């Protein structure tokens, strides 16, 4: 969550800070702010509006400087209010503030530190844990900011990425990270900090990824990094090509719409022109690992968790491997039975999801060392932590409600299923050829589903006045119903629940009235006739059914039953195709209700706090 940008240069860096914030705004947008070193003092602007408003404020107040930091916030401690917005200042007993600091993460011992600092005279203006760090750095400062930050981080318990500068040391920014991402951008006599390389696109492509425990000292022509033990270290410099075009809307109304329509290309890129199924698609040594394991444990959160639930059906029906799917935020807080022959699979769009990283480390501590991640960011912590990986090629996803990241995760999980099936002797040459043919056709099939948008828009107009909805699916389409309900509630704020259709009569049917739309996923599969019976249970109670049906299901529109026909039946890959219309339904319903589609209230894109 949240976004950090920092810079040390010989030019006014406020445009760089503001442009970086604009690119990171999807990571948190409850408030934002910027602070610079200007003529021997610290100046800042803060806002509870969006970055565009902050930029106007900066221009109006003529704020400029060669050294500075900026932040866009997702609120944890303290309400979204100007006094809680970053950057925070500190400087007890000084004529003006001495320390400016921004922070991502959560400091768990902030109450203890707050009491300690109040006892020596520090006055707190906010409810944030971040202000505690600013005052602590100021309290420990003795003419060397780098040393003060090192000392301060030794006192912190929790997760953090921080950027801080000092009034008394122009042209110096210090950063530190533990459990929350932070990168360094190298320039020519100028250097940068950010929570994501995307923030620095167009400014520098020379990126250093800091490790947990690192503290970095940025000056004009020097980058100095020490590790958790305080020893100087060299971190590899990566050339990262982040295309700024990925952050441009083009002809689309919202990023979410753009990203929905990018799915044919994203899936195609994720498949990478694969000619055959081999374990080595997931890294060197994958064959040996796949031969050794006898079950799969999937750890994920949110949308990625639903991808894992879908994969469970594939892994057990195609590869014949027992599979458990765990919500990462719950897994490490219960007693479980570890199996050293498990393949632990993590799924994350960002690769920095705090709960999933913590669950992965917990699994390793229990002796499960065979690890693999499905991730969209090759340089992320998740990829570095896992022995094997498959990098999806979704590209930058800015809309908070995930779309193309989900379908590319499903594509990668299908490849994993086939690779494990092959290793276990469950995949014939004929079956492999058939599945590869279907996978290669997926981008075309997705494009055909996207053509249904006008029909779905008509449904969205009806949904816009509703406050509740049910989603039904059976078998491997039940997780897709869960994902459809999540999308609708995330961006339209309509309360939506998903159930296996067979569970209706065990309670949820009590909710069904003519005011409750019931969205049903109806592929032509072995459960179709059972699903039709469940639909009749809804229809008999006056419920309004909205059905996405395969063409040959013989489900027709009638009074109280609305049907949109899918272009084709897609067998085992049907969940991927049925995801698309649910995304479009959520998107157009949100548009009809006038909500902020790309930045839904209370949410943020990359969940880097527990």
């Amino acid at each position: 969550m949240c976004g950090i940008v920092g810079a040390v240069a010989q030019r006014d860096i406020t445009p760089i800070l503001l442009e970086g914030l604009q690119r990171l705004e999807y990571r948190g947008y409850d408030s934002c702010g910027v602070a610079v070193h200007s003529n021997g003092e610290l100046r800042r602007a803060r806002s509870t509006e969006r970055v565009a408003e902050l930029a106007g404020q900066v221009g109006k107040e003529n704020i400029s400087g060669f050294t500075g930091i900026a932040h866009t916030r997702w609120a944890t401690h303290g309400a979204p209010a100007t006094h809680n917005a970053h950057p925070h200042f500190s400087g007890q007993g000084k004529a003006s503030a001495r320390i400016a600091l921004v922070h991502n993460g959560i400091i768990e011992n902030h109450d203890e530190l707050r009491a300690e600092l109040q006892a020596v005279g520090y006055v707190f203006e906010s409810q944030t844990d971040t202000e505690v760090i600013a005052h602590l750095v100021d309290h420990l400062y003795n003419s060397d900011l780098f040393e003060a930050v090192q000392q301060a981080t030794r006192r912190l318990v929790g997760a953090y990425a921080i950027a801080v500068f000092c009034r008394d040391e122009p042209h110096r920014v210090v950063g530190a990270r533990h459990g929350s991402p932070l990168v360094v951008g190298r320039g020519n006599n100028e250097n940068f900090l950010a929570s994501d390389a995307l923030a620095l696109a167009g400014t520098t492509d020379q990126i250093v990824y800091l490790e947990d425990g690192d503290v970095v000292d940025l000056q004009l022509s020097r980058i100095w990094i020490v590790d958790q033990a305080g020893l100087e270290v060299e971190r590899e410099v990566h050339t990262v090509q982040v295309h700024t075009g990925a952050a441009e809307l083009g002809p689309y109304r919202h990023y979410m719409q753009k990203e929905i329509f990018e799915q044919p290309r994203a899936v195609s890129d994720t498949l990478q022109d694969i000619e055959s199924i081999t374990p080595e698609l997931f890294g060197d040594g994958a064959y040996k690992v796949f031969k050794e394991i006898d079950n799969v444990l999937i750890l994920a959160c949110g949308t990625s968790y639903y991808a894992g639930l879908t994969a469970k059906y594939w892994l057990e029906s195609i590869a014949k491997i027992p599979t458990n799917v765990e919500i990462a935020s719950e897994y490490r807080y219960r007693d479980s039975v570890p199996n050293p022959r498990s393949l632990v699979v993590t799924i994350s769009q960002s690769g920095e999801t705090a709960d999933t990283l913590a669950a992965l480390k917990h699994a390793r501590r229990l002796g499960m060392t065979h690890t693999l991640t499905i991730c969209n960011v090759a340089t992320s912590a998740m990829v570095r932590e896992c022995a094997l990986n498959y990098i999806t090629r979704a590209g930058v996803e800015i809309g908070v409600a995930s779309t193309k990241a989900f379908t590319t995760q499903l594509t990668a999980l299908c490849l994993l299923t086939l690779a494990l099936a092959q290793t276990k002797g469950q995949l014939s040459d004929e079956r492999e050829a058939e599945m590869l043919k279907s996978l290669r056709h997926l981008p075309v099939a997705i494009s055909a589903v996207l053509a249904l948008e006008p029909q779905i828009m008509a449904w969205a107009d009806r949904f816009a006045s509703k406050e509740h909805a049910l989603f039904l699916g059976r078998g491997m389409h039940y997780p897709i119903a869960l994902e459809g309900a999540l999308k609708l509630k995330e961006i339209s704020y309509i309360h939506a629940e998903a159930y296996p259709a067979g569970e209706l009569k065990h309670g949820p049917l009590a909710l069904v009235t003519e005011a409750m739309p019931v969205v049903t996923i109806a592929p032509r599969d072995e459960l179709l006739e059972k699903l039709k019976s469940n639909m009749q249970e809804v229809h008999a109670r006056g419920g309004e059914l909205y059905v996405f049906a395969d063409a040959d299901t013989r489900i027709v529109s009638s009074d109280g039953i609305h049907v949109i026909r899918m272009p084709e039946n897609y067998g085992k890959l049907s969940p991927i195709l049925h995801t698309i219309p649910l995304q479009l339904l959520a998107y157009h319903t949100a548009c009809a209700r006038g909500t902020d589609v790309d930045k839904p209230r209370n949410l943020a894109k990359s969940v880097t706090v527990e």
Side-chain angles (χ1 to χ4, degrees):
M1 329 286 246
C2 307
I4 287 174
V5 193
V8 175
Q10 293 176 306
R11 54 175 167 153
D12 177 22
I13 45 83
T14 50
I16 295 170
L17 299 178
L18 291 167
E19 185 177 352
L21 281 194
Q22 205 113 39
R23 294 207 184 102
L24 296 182
E25 193 171 29
Y26 69 107
R27 295 174 69 103
Y29 34 85
D30 290 330
S31 61
C32 53
V34 62
V36 298
H37 193 289
S38 178
N39 298 319
E41 64 177 5
L42 307 186
R43 298 188 65 200
R44 71 178 168 186
R46 298 184 292 178
S47 174
T48 55
E49 303 297 325
R50 297 293 167 81
V51 174
E53 194 277 338
L54 176 69
Q57 186 179 334
V58 167
K60 185 177 179 180
E61 297 178 17
N62 197 26
I63 294 174
S64 64
F66 300 149
T67 302
I69 53 179
H71 189 267
T72 180
R73 179 176 184 247
W74 183 79
T76 53
H77 295 74
T82 303
H83 66 278
N84 287 326
H86 303 207
H88 287 284
F89 281 0
S90 182
Q92 182 191 19
K94 313 297 185 302
S96 63
R98 181 167 67 178
I99 298 295
L101 183 142
V102 295
H103 161 234
N104 291 351
I106 292 177
I107 304 304
E108 295 173 9
N109 62 334
H110 68 95
D111 282 335
E112 170 194 331
L113 293 171
R114 184 186 298 264
E116 180 183 318
L117 291 161
Q118 285 174 328
V120 295
Y122 282 91
V123 176
F124 285 78
E125 298 177 351
S126 76
Q127 290 84 47
T128 67
D129 53 342
T130 301
E131 191 180 5
V132 170
I133 314 174
H135 290 326
L136 181 61
V137 171
D138 183 77
H139 180 57
L140 296 170
Y141 183 74
N142 187 18
S143 303
D144 188 335
L145 182 63
F146 187 65
E147 177 62 29
V149 172
Q150 281 186 286
Q151 290 181 40
T153 55
R154 294 185 194 117
R155 301 286 315 277
L156 303 180
V157 177
Y160 57 81
I162 62 174
V164 53
F165 72 96
C166 178
R167 179 197 64 201
D168 301 337
E169 298 184 60
H171 291 117
R172 191 181 201 188
V173 171
V174 175
R177 71 152 289 182
H178 179 77
S180 196
L182 194 66
V183 305
V184 173
R186 289 181 53 177
N188 183 18
N189 284 323
E190 57 184 22
N191 291 300
F192 308 91
L193 272 179
S195 48
D196 189 320
L198 175 66
L200 305 178
T203 299
T204 180
D205 62 358
Q206 299 297 293
I207 302 296
V208 176
Y209 293 89
L210 298 178
E211 300 287 341
D212 264 4
D214 284 356
V215 182
V216 60
D217 184 359
L218 296 187
Q219 299 184 34
L220 286 173
S221 56
R222 179 182 112 144
I223 297 172
W224 174 274
I225 303 172
V226 299
D227 64 13
Q228 199 157 12
L231 302 174
E232 181 186 357
V233 289
E234 291 286 336
R235 300 295 184 208
E236 184 180 355
V237 179
H238 300 262
T239 300
V240 178
Q241 300 293 339
V242 181
H243 300 292
T244 56
E248 294 172 1
L249 266 176
Y252 298 98
R253 186 174 172 186
H254 298 96
Y255 285 107
M256 184 178 179
Q257 184 186 31
K258 177 180 185 239
E259 288 153 11
I260 289 171
F261 278 84
E262 286 174 343
Q263 286 175 111
R265 179 61 178 271
V267 167
S268 177
D269 289 347
T270 295
L271 290 168
Q272 303 178 62
D273 298 320
I274 291 169
E275 295 298 327
S276 62
I277 300 298
T278 66
E280 284 67 33
L281 290 170
F282 297 87
D284 295 338
Y287 177 78
K288 182 175 182 294
V289 171
F290 290 0
K291 289 292 284 185
E292 289 180 5
I293 61 104
D294 61 15
N295 75 94
V296 174
L297 170 64
I298 297 175
L299 303 172
C301 299
T303 287
S304 296
Y305 172 69
Y306 299 147
L309 288 178
T310 308
K312 175 182 171 73
Y313 286 91
W314 291 336
L315 286 160
E316 295 193 341
S317 67
I318 298 173
K320 309 300 181 186
I321 296 177
T323 301
N324 293 314
V325 188
E326 296 267 6
I327 296 172
S329 59
E330 292 291 321
Y331 170 68
R332 71 185 180 117
Y333 295 111
R334 69 174 184 84
D335 292 330
S336 58
V337 182
N339 179 352
R341 298 189 64 180
S342 293
L343 177 63
V344 179
V345 178
T346 62
I347 311 171
S348 170
Q349 185 273 332
S350 68
E352 305 288 349
T353 308
D355 288 315
T356 309
L357 280 167
L360 169 65
K361 292 173 184 177
H362 175 68
R364 282 211 310 253
R365 285 194 296 270
L366 293 176
M368 293 184 283
T369 58
H370 300 312
T371 57
L372 183 153
T373 190
I374 306 292
C375 183
N376 192 42
V377 182
T379 53
S380 65
M382 204 82 73
V383 173
R384 296 195 297 272
E385 291 280 347
C386 288
L388 304 172
N389 66 73
Y390 194 91
I391 307 302
T392 58
R393 300 293 193 273
V396 175
E397 189 181 62
I398 290 176
V400 166
S402 184
T403 51
K404 61 179 179 173
F406 179 66
T407 47
T408 54
Q409 285 172 353
L410 290 174
T411 303
L413 287 163
C414 183
L415 289 173
L416 176 62
T417 299
L418 297 176
L420 284 166
Q422 184 191 73
T423 307
K424 300 297 185 182
Q426 299 290 338
L427 188 69
S428 67
D429 290 345
E430 293 77 16
R431 182 65 165 148
E432 178 183 345
E434 175 191 331
M435 290 299 293
L436 278 173
K437 181 180 179 182
S438 294
L439 283 166
R440 292 190 191 108
H441 182 64
L442 255 181
V444 174
I446 292 171
S447 295
V449 178
L450 289 169
L452 298 173
E453 186 180 34
Q455 297 176 58
I456 295 169
M457 290 171 70
W459 280 12
D461 287 339
R462 298 175 186 169
F463 271 69
S465 62
K466 307 298 183 182
E467 293 302 327
H468 307 277
L470 285 178
F471 285 69
L472 302 179
R474 295 205 70 149
M476 62 184 176
H477 292 83
Y478 166 53
I480 303 308
L482 286 165
E483 171 63 7
L486 177 63
K487 284 293 154 285
L488 189 68
K489 72 181 80 170
E490 277 182 307
I491 61 171
S492 74
Y493 314 144
I494 293 172
H495 170 244
E497 299 290 342
Y499 292 93
E503 284 295 293
L504 266 180
K505 53 191 170 291
H506 298 291
L509 200 56
L511 294 172
V512 172
T513 69
E514 66 280 355
M516 173 80 81
V518 180
V519 180
T520 307
I521 303 168
R524 181 178 56 79
D525 59 16
E526 64 278 5
L527 291 171
L528 177 61
E529 295 309 315
K530 301 286 187 188
L531 179 68
K532 287 180 178 179
S533 296
N534 303 142
M535 290 168 56
Q536 285 304 316
E537 293 166 5
V538 172
H539 193 49
R541 273 77 180 179
E544 196 91 354
L545 284 156
Y546 292 82
V547 187
F548 292 105
D550 284 354
D552 45 4
T553 55
R554 289 181 297 181
I555 299 173
V556 296
S557 295
S558 61
D559 184 36
I561 302 178
H562 313 280
V563 179
I564 290 179
R565 300 208 174 281
M566 299 288 285
E568 58 184 305
N569 175 272
Y570 222 62
K572 291 292 187 185
L573 299 179
S574 173
I576 299 177
L577 288 193
H578 275 275
T579 296
I580 311 302
L582 300 181
Q583 294 172 348
L584 287 168
L585 179 62
Y587 170 72
H588 284 292
T589 301
C591 288
R593 286 169 70 96
T595 64
D596 192 339
V597 172
D598 288 331
K599 300 181 178 70
R601 67 188 181 206
N602 305 332
L603 301 180
K605 186 67 181 173
S606 181
V607 186
T608 56
V609 296
E610 197 182 335

